Amino acid sequence: MRLSDMLRPAALRPAAVVAKAGVNTPGCSKKRNMFALVDCNNFYASCERVFQPRLEGRPVVVLSNNDGCVIARSAEAKALGIGMGAAFFKHEREMRRTGVAVFSSNYALYGDLSRRVMQVLARFAPAMEVYSIDECFLDLSGLGRRRTAHGLDIAWTVKQWTGIPVSVGIGPTKTLAKVANRLAKRGQGTAGPVLDWTELPDPRGTLATLALEDVWGISRRWGEKLRRMGIRHARALAEADPGRLREVFGVVLERTARELGGRSCLSLEDVPPPRRQIMVSRSFGTRLRGRDELRAAVTAFATRAGEKLRTQRMRAGALAVFLHTSPFDEHGPHYANSFTTTWDRPTRDTGRLVRAAVRGLDCIYREGPAYQRAGVLLPDLSSGSLEQGVLFAEPPDAVRRADRLMDCVDWINRRHGRGAVHYAGEDLGSAWHMRQRHKSSAFTTDWDALPVAKAHEDGEIRSQDSGGGMGS
């Protein structure tokens, strides 16, 4: 570092100078890395279009649980001014008038298409990190100047094989790859849906146009605090004094600033960290008062929690069941309660989970209130392979029999569909199910919903898709 640079205020130093300072930042590396962030465009809306081509070019929105508010919008819906989180009941009439296709959340479809996209992406890099249902980091280190062509190949292949459009941001750090992806989505890509940060003619100038809240991990509260410190955009953050950032905000924001300056501080997480808890909860489609309906709900929640537990090869040492009315209900006081059961020996047996959930429900249930929500939480998880011994535990043979039974039930339900084998308590009621009046078909996970293509006498092949969704 030149003496003149060292004497300049940190906020005025070049980003490259700041990146070299403070090499002891935990997690930062001197290694030359290159990352790609692949992000599915308007993912939920794009999933609805895959099997319904007539929706191309039309505004599409997807609603939250119980058709409450908008959680996903196509580009056409955004252009109409439909805001994220907009209450559906307030805008339903206008959506009908403007021809918006409205869909209830179809998580089975979205989860399956996400899995397919990630399988395709795994072909393009030696290491990857699935960051969310629609985002994935890839390691492109060592590709040289072929990165943009590689990104175009990724975008074309994913679209061709899955029907999902993606944007690809490439950068020397994960944070800059995120920034590059955001710019590519805005149509500023150096090659269509692909933007390589290192190919920008003026990367520092580009950072100066980027709002603080557009940087990965910076909340509105942090943005306001940074502006009060005189840091008004992403370039100013990249050139800020790292020691001062760590003192005020902690090491997380310091790493973000160094990453904006080109120094890699965040590596790929090849194996996601184990979950600390599992929760299955839902707001009911209608308010529930009867004990049997609530038993059906918590039985289903405990069953689903057990499936997740075994998928992650974990065991639970405790179960909490909770129940509450709506805090906005004008009819009667608000009521909320929970009950926790613990076991000396962690379990993965759905039967034990269901019994504990039902017993807990009986302890906290009160007649009279109209309940809005219930749920099951498994807060104390441990690895299925590591277990502390218990002096007066049940015989090992009983545990092994329960484990084999659960493995058999899971296999049957995977082969013949979820719920093929289930606990009778789930059949006590169905009013607890979510309200999904505009749900599309499970095109990829249900044999009865598979799209059908029919060949006509004129030789033309026409698809027959089963729709769903308001205005579809």
Side-chain angles (χ1 to χ4, degrees):
M1 183 188 304
R2 293 178 301 176
L3 180 61
S4 59
D5 284 330
M6 295 177 64
L7 296 176
R8 297 169 68 185
L12 300 179
R13 296 177 200 164
V17 173
V18 176
K20 292 179 182 177
V23 293
N24 294 325
T25 302
C28 291
S29 169
K30 294 182 180 180
K31 181 182 175 183
R32 280 178 166 268
N33 295 315
M34 193 60 64
F35 302 94
L37 176 67
V38 184
D39 189 0
C40 302
N41 299 339
N42 310 313
F43 181 58
Y44 288 178
S46 295
C47 287
E48 297 293 353
R49 283 175 166 169
V50 169
F51 296 99
Q52 303 184 69
R54 64 178 179 273
L55 297 177
E56 289 293 338
R58 283 187 58 187
V60 176
V61 300
V62 178
L63 305 177
S64 63
N65 292 346
N66 291 310
D67 297 342
C69 59
V70 174
I71 60 171
R73 305 160 295 162
S74 67
E76 296 82 1
K78 295 175 184 177
L80 289 176
I82 300 174
M84 180 67 79
F88 177 55
F89 78 92
K90 292 184 178 179
H91 301 275
E92 181 175 4
R93 181 175 299 178
E94 180 64 16
M95 289 182 185
R96 289 184 182 277
R97 187 187 68 80
T98 54
V100 176
V102 179
F103 292 91
S104 304
S105 297
N106 188 343
Y107 297 119
L109 176 66
Y110 308 153
D112 187 63
L113 286 178
S114 172
R115 178 183 59 82
R116 297 181 186 215
V117 169
M118 301 309 166
Q119 285 179 335
V120 175
L121 294 178
R123 304 167 58 93
F124 289 94
M128 63 185 291
E129 175 192 340
V130 179
Y131 180 66
S132 68
I133 191 172
D134 62 343
E135 292 179 279
C136 179
F137 284 103
L138 302 177
D139 182 2
L140 299 189
S141 304
L143 266 182
R145 296 191 177 277
R146 296 176 45 247
R147 293 189 296 267
T148 297
H150 197 66
L152 288 170
D153 192 19
I154 291 172
W156 183 89
T157 305
V158 173
K159 176 66 169 143
Q160 186 73 12
W161 290 14
T162 68
I164 302 295
V166 300
S167 297
V168 183
I170 301 171
T173 70
K174 291 173 73 174
T175 302
L176 287 177
K178 267 275 197 179
V179 171
N181 185 278
R182 178 180 288 272
L183 296 177
K185 281 195 167 187
R186 291 177 178 175
Q188 302 176 34
T190 51
V194 180
L195 189 147
D196 186 342
W197 183 260
T198 63
E199 294 182 0
L200 290 176
D202 183 14
R204 292 182 68 236
T206 302
L207 283 179
T209 66
L210 196 69
L212 291 169
E213 288 80 3
D214 286 342
V215 177
W216 184 28
I218 297 185
S219 64
R220 180 179 301 175
R221 181 173 59 86
W222 273 14
E224 293 173 353
K225 192 171 182 179
L226 285 166
R227 280 187 284 271
R228 288 197 296 269
M229 295 171 58
I231 300 172
R232 303 190 177 279
H233 45 67
R235 191 181 80 179
L237 178 60
E239 298 176 350
D241 181 4
R244 177 63 173 159
L245 291 175
R246 184 194 290 199
E247 179 184 340
V248 176
F249 296 93
V251 72
V252 173
L253 188 62
E254 181 194 2
R255 286 175 180 165
T256 298
R258 293 190 183 280
E259 289 234 331
L260 287 173
R263 185 179 181 83
S264 180
C265 298
L266 302 171
S267 59
L268 289 185
E269 294 183 3
D270 298 326
V271 179
R275 286 195 180 186
R276 297 182 180 180
Q277 63 181 26
I278 292 173
M279 184 171 72
V280 180
S281 175
R282 190 169 298 166
S283 294
F284 305 130
T286 59
R287 299 289 194 267
L288 300 184
R289 296 179 183 273
R291 189 192 300 258
D292 285 347
E293 288 283 359
L294 291 168
R295 280 182 177 175
V298 300
T299 298
F301 298 160
T303 299
R304 180 61 182 141
E307 293 172 355
K308 292 185 176 183
L309 194 66
R310 294 188 292 275
T311 298
Q312 298 168 30
R313 300 181 181 180
M314 306 289 282
R315 294 178 185 269
L319 178 145
V321 59
F322 58 90
L323 181 70
H324 65 75
T325 62
S326 172
F328 307 105
D329 197 342
E330 299 177 357
H331 307 288
H334 175 58
Y335 174 72
N337 209 343
S338 65
F339 185 90
T340 300
T341 301
T342 60
W343 298 284
D344 291 333
R345 186 169 188 170
T347 185
R348 65 197 283 267
D349 182 356
T350 295
R352 297 185 71 179
L353 300 180
V354 168
R355 288 193 293 274
V358 171
R359 282 198 303 268
L361 174 68
D362 289 341
C363 291
I364 61 177
Y365 172 78
R366 289 183 182 176
E367 290 188 6
Y371 294 100
Q372 178 203 29
R373 189 180 188 92
V376 166
L377 174 69
L378 306 180
D380 184 15
L381 304 186
S382 60
S383 171
S385 58
L386 301 175
E387 184 177 334
Q388 182 174 340
V390 179
L391 183 59
F392 299 108
E394 57 187 316
D397 286 347
V399 177
R400 285 194 289 269
R401 284 196 300 270
D403 287 349
R404 288 197 298 270
L405 174 62
M406 291 298 99
D407 292 339
C408 182
V409 170
D410 289 342
W411 181 85
I412 293 173
N413 286 334
R414 283 195 303 269
R415 185 175 181 86
H416 299 285
R418 180 178 295 169
V421 176
H422 62 273
Y423 286 81
E426 292 186 47
D427 296 329
L428 290 173
S430 59
W432 60 271
H433 288 285
M434 286 191 300
R435 183 170 61 249
Q436 294 177 306
R437 290 178 295 180
H438 311 294
K439 185 180 177 182
S440 57
S441 298
F443 296 106
T444 62
T445 57
D446 185 345
W447 285 105
D448 295 331
L450 288 178
V452 177
K454 295 184 177 181
H456 290 256
E457 294 181 359
D458 57 8
E460 182 181 353
I461 297 179
R462 303 188 180 95
S463 65
Q464 176 181 317
D465 53 20
S466 51
M470 183 186 85
S472 62

